[in-house]
Amino acid sequence: MKVFRIFPALFFLASSWGAPVLAAPDVACGYGTPEAWAKVDALFVGTWKIQHHAGFYVAGPMTMPFPASGDTDTMQIEMLPSGQLVGTHPEAQAPIPFLWADEPAWSFEKHAADDGAPAPMLTSSDVETLMGCGVEKLARLIGHTTVSMDGVVMEMTLRLMVVGVDQMYGIFHTSAVARGMPVKSWRTVTMTR
């Protein structure tokens, strides 16, 4: 299924009708429990293309646009003998362990607003409309790592929703303190194969 290829058409239809278009529940809507995920997680091992879309960063009291990256990076996802998925990314100084998101349903727009940033390009509410189910019904993974650059330690968190066997959508969030000022960023990412 090519969910991301149909997003622009669905948004056009939804805005022209004035009411949300609800998709029939997708098969990915059944991955949202640890038991269901354990049956399909091995399908996600392999090479993934990751695109960093536009977002925002907040430095102290200022919110500024964070432009999309023109490059497509590659992330390799492997499974450890323990069954945990880990990813290697060119910007990560160590493999990124992906943990099952045992959290309440995500609201990317609310979390971004809490940091003083506008909503991401595609919100979690949009994903719910397009997938035909709440985000809690989707497999949700969290990858967390830290990077040290020029003496500044940056916390990096990648929150992913599995929207198909060959597609994931999420938010890449960073936070650091540089020269005594808190700096955070929110950026939409898509991963495809």
Side-chain angles (χ1 to χ4, degrees):
M1 184 182 67
K2 303 296 181 199
V3 173
F4 291 110
R5 292 183 186 157
I6 63 171
F7 277 175
L10 288 174
F11 283 130
F12 172 76
L13 289 173
S15 63
S16 66
W17 289 337
V21 176
L22 296 176
D26 188 275
V27 66
C29 291
Y31 297 163
T33 65
E35 298 77 24
W37 177 244
K39 294 177 184 175
V40 297
D41 60 352
L43 298 174
F44 295 86
V45 171
T47 303
W48 290 81
K49 295 175 195 165
I50 183 168
Q51 287 192 289
H52 298 269
H53 302 282
F56 294 90
Y57 68 93
V58 179
M62 299 182 344
T63 300
M64 293 158 278
F66 192 171
S69 169
D71 300 331
T72 300
D73 293 331
T74 300
M75 177 179 279
Q76 186 69 29
I77 295 181
E78 299 171 1
M79 184 177 282
L80 299 177
S82 66
Q84 181 178 25
L85 295 177
V86 295
T88 54
H89 186 273
E91 295 177 14
Q93 294 174 346
I96 303 167
F98 287 103
L99 303 175
W100 179 258
D102 190 15
E103 300 179 336
W106 293 340
S107 174
F108 292 151
E109 48 274 39
K110 179 187 179 318
H111 300 311
D114 290 347
D115 276 347
M121 174 181 81
L122 186 64
T123 68
S124 46
S125 298
D126 295 332
V127 172
E128 289 180 339
T129 300
L130 294 170
M131 295 301 292
C133 63
V135 295
E136 73 281 358
K137 301 285 186 186
L138 301 169
R140 296 175 297 141
L141 306 174
I142 300 174
H144 182 77
T145 190
T146 57
V147 174
S148 180
M149 299 184 317
D150 300 324
V152 175
V153 176
M154 182 179 301
E155 301 285 331
M156 304 168 85
T157 304
L158 181 57
R159 283 186 161 79
L160 293 171
M161 292 183 281
V162 176
V163 295
V165 176
D166 59 356
Q167 297 180 350
M168 293 185 249
Y169 166 75
I171 297 294
F172 183 59
H173 179 252
T174 66
S175 63
V177 176
R179 297 187 186 121
M181 179 182 298
V183 179
K184 298 182 179 185
S185 72
W186 288 83
R187 192 176 210 181
T188 305
V189 295
T190 51
M191 291 179 59
T192 58
R193 323 193 239 202

